[in-house]
Amino acid sequence: KGMMVACRSVFFTLVLLLLFTYVFSVAFMQFSRGTVLEQKFFSSMGTAIWTLILKCILTDQQVIIEAVAEESWVMAILMLFFILFGSLTVMNMLLGVLVEAIKTVSTIER
């Protein structure tokens, strides 16, 4: 039951992250028009989102994700979901454990 609650919150966090990335991609595309940055990083919406996610959010995993993407886009998307869902789920569970531990200590000390 707790895992389902964590997965639900991770899902909505990822939706919020995607929405946030989309808005910033539009902004970067508009502001980089006619510059070298447009040609290199923000030439299309897909390229802008890809750049923001890989260069800003997942910088450590960029090499492996791009290598997998050269072979198969399906595998690259699967890897992105694994990294994002896995890390966010673990972070949420860790936060939940920490909050529960603090709550228990607080209750005992009262």
Side-chain angles (χ1 to χ4, degrees):
K1 186 175 179 179
M3 188 66 161
M4 289 305 294
V5 171
C7 286
R8 182 173 167 234
S9 62
V10 168
F11 171 75
F12 285 112
T13 303
L14 287 175
V15 168
L16 181 63
L17 177 65
L18 187 59
L19 180 66
F20 194 66
T21 304
Y22 177 80
V23 169
F24 274 84
S25 295
V26 170
F28 277 108
M29 284 182 63
Q30 293 300 314
F31 287 123
S32 68
R33 275 210 178 137
T35 67
V36 176
L37 291 175
E38 178 187 22
Q39 296 168 359
K40 191 171 183 181
F41 298 116
F42 307 110
S43 59
S44 69
M45 194 61 178
T47 306
I49 290 173
W50 188 254
T51 297
L52 290 178
I53 289 176
L54 283 186
K55 305 274 186 199
C56 301
I57 297 173
L58 300 172
T59 56
D60 296 336
Q61 291 88 6
Q62 177 183 355
V63 174
I64 190 168
I65 292 171
E66 286 180 345
V68 170
E70 287 178 9
E71 294 296 321
S72 168
W73 279 100
V74 174
M75 285 177 44
I77 291 170
L78 187 64
M79 181 171 282
L80 283 172
F81 276 122
F82 170 75
I83 291 168
L84 292 173
F85 276 117
S87 62
L88 285 175
T89 301
V90 170
M91 285 189 303
N92 276 340
M93 289 175 63
L94 176 63
L95 182 63
V97 167
L98 290 174
V99 167
E100 189 64 32
I102 292 170
K103 180 181 169 188
T104 303
V105 169
S106 170
T107 305
I108 290 171
E109 288 182 356
R110 285 185 190 175

